[in-house]
Amino acid sequence: MTIHLEGVLVGAASLLIIGVFHPIVIWCEYYFSARVWPLFLAVGGICLVAALFTTGYLSIFLGLLGVACLWSIRELLEQEERVKKGWFPKREDRK
């Protein structure tokens, strides 16, 4: 019997990336507002293009990272709404 760990590793990488991006989105919205979304778009696009030209686990990781960056654009906008509702603190010195 052969054990293949690829699926477990990809699942763990997915969980890790999602877990890391949650506080990144909150931090970015707090310090820079949702206007930082073009950075997430650029990094996500670069990661997805790079995933097309690599193989193996690096390609999978870059694909996951790229999609997480693109998904974070939506989360940034939702985080902005959560701040407006008072669920998260608002940075007072932001104009």
Side-chain angles (χ1 to χ4, degrees), residues 4-46:
H4 299 280
L5 295 176
E6 293 89 357
V8 174
L9 292 175
V10 170
S14 300
L15 185 62
L16 180 68
I17 289 171
I18 292 168
V20 167
F21 267 83
H22 181 69
I24 288 174
V25 166
I26 294 169
W27 184 84
C28 284
E29 196 286 325
Y30 183 80
Y31 285 104
F32 305 110
S33 80
R35 292 178 292 170
V36 75
W37 73 265
L39 178 64
F40 282 92
L41 180 64
V43 172
I46 289 168

Side-chain angles (χ1 to χ4, degrees), residues 7-82:
V8 174
L9 292 175
V10 170
S14 300
L15 185 62
L16 180 68
I17 289 171
I18 292 168
V20 167
F21 267 83
H22 181 69
I24 288 174
V25 166
I26 294 169
W27 184 84
C28 284
E29 196 286 325
Y30 183 80
Y31 285 104
F32 305 110
S33 80
R35 292 178 292 170
V36 75
W37 73 265
L39 178 64
F40 282 92
L41 180 64
V43 172
I46 289 168
C47 287
L48 289 175
V49 169
L52 294 173
F53 295 100
T54 58
T55 60
Y57 288 116
L58 180 59
S59 177
I60 293 168
F61 179 74
L62 287 170
L64 289 170
L65 193 61
V67 170
C69 285
L70 296 179
W71 185 263
S72 294
I73 295 169
R74 180 175 182 259
E75 286 298 319
L76 272 169
L77 300 174
E78 289 183 3
Q79 179 65 17
E80 191 173 53
E81 292 300 315
R82 291 188 285 263

